[in-house]
Amino acid sequence: MVAGKADTKAGGGGTGKKAASAMKFSHGDPLALLRRYSMENRLDQVRIKDDRVEFEQKGGLAGPQKQVFDRKTKTLYRSQKGRGEPYQLDALVLFLKHKDANRKEYMSTVSQYGVAFVSTLDKADLVAYLTGKVETVAAIQVEEVRPSLFDTMTAEGKPGEGLAPGAAAAAKAKSQASFGEAAKAGAGALAERAVDPSVFEIPSDPAELLGRGRDVE
């Protein structure tokens, strides 16, 4: 507990801030990584420093390596059993490191670090997931990715604005279907008109009528 406090407090210096701003953050799922470190009993290698959370890895020829995340990274674990906002990474790290502390001690530590506290409503499921007792819980939700607004199409069929790609394709197909139905309706009307007796002119001269009959044959 003392080591964790020292790590976070050390972030107040100017040198630490410059180093943090120059450091590149890792990509990937920090929640899954935190769970793995917890299951491997390696939480002592997860540290909150300045504006980041560092996961130390086994060193190779180049020495120890680290995966680094912005400490305020939103995880896939939502509060209030999935109905609330996503928990930030530093809140889960601090909770996991103090999961066995009493509530008063935990709240005091949270206040000192300036992070959000984990609700008692989420504690049991969160501990079960992060320690590997269960594979998943309902509070872990992957946010739906909205369609890109690039490469879109207008109702007139011009690319560049208007509808998202999927909606544009649907609109285009609907437009083509409407055109086909209109064409069929027009053809049907012409066919109906061709056999309508009311528009068929009967010549008064029998010889002319006979001549038309021969032309048809």
Side-chain angles (χ1 to χ4, degrees), residues 77 79-83 87 103 118-126:
Y77 204 107
S79 62
Q80 303 297 312
K81 289 189 174 292
R83 299 188 298 271
Y87 279 117
R103 192 66 180 176
V118 171
S119 170
T120 54
L121 184 66
D122 297 318
K123 182 176 180 178
D125 286 349
L126 188 54

Side-chain angles (χ1 to χ4, degrees), residues 181-197:
E181 293 176 0
K184 290 180 181 179
L190 291 176
E192 184 179 353
R193 182 176 176 81
V195 297
D196 189 352

Side-chain angles (χ1 to χ4, degrees), residues 82-150:
R83 299 188 298 271
E85 294 297 316
Y87 279 117
Q88 294 175 339
L89 179 58
D90 58 357
L92 296 188
V93 170
L94 200 61
F95 165 77
L96 196 55
K97 284 177 173 287
H98 298 83
K99 63 181 176 60
D100 296 324
N102 61 59
R103 192 66 180 176
K104 184 178 180 180
E105 182 181 350
Y106 167 67
M107 294 298 290
S108 176
T109 305
V110 163
S111 178
Q112 180 183 349
Y113 279 84
V115 303
F117 66 88
V118 171
S119 170
T120 54
L121 184 66
D122 297 318
K123 182 176 180 178
D125 286 349
L126 188 54
V127 169
Y129 174 73
L130 290 177
T131 56
K133 293 180 180 179
V134 296
E135 288 300 316
T136 188
V137 291
I140 298 177
Q141 299 177 10
V142 179
E143 294 184 0
E144 181 180 357
V145 178
R146 295 183 178 182
S148 172
L149 294 179
F150 296 103

Side-chain angles (χ1 to χ4, degrees), residues 155-202:
E156 293 78 21
K158 297 178 181 179
E161 61 185 60
L163 305 174
K172 185 176 180 181
K174 183 177 180 180
S175 177
Q176 291 176 341
S178 299
F179 178 79
E181 293 176 0
K184 290 180 181 179
L190 291 176
E192 184 179 353
R193 182 176 176 81
V195 297
D196 189 352
S198 63
V199 297
F200 188 84
E201 298 180 359
I202 302 177

Side-chain angles (χ1 to χ4, degrees), residues 4 9 18 24 27 64 70 114 130 145 159 166 169 173 180 206 208-210:
K9 282 188 174 183
K18 289 181 180 178
K24 293 182 179 180
H27 299 285
D70 187 318
L130 290 177
V145 178
E208 184 181 350
L209 178 60
L210 181 60

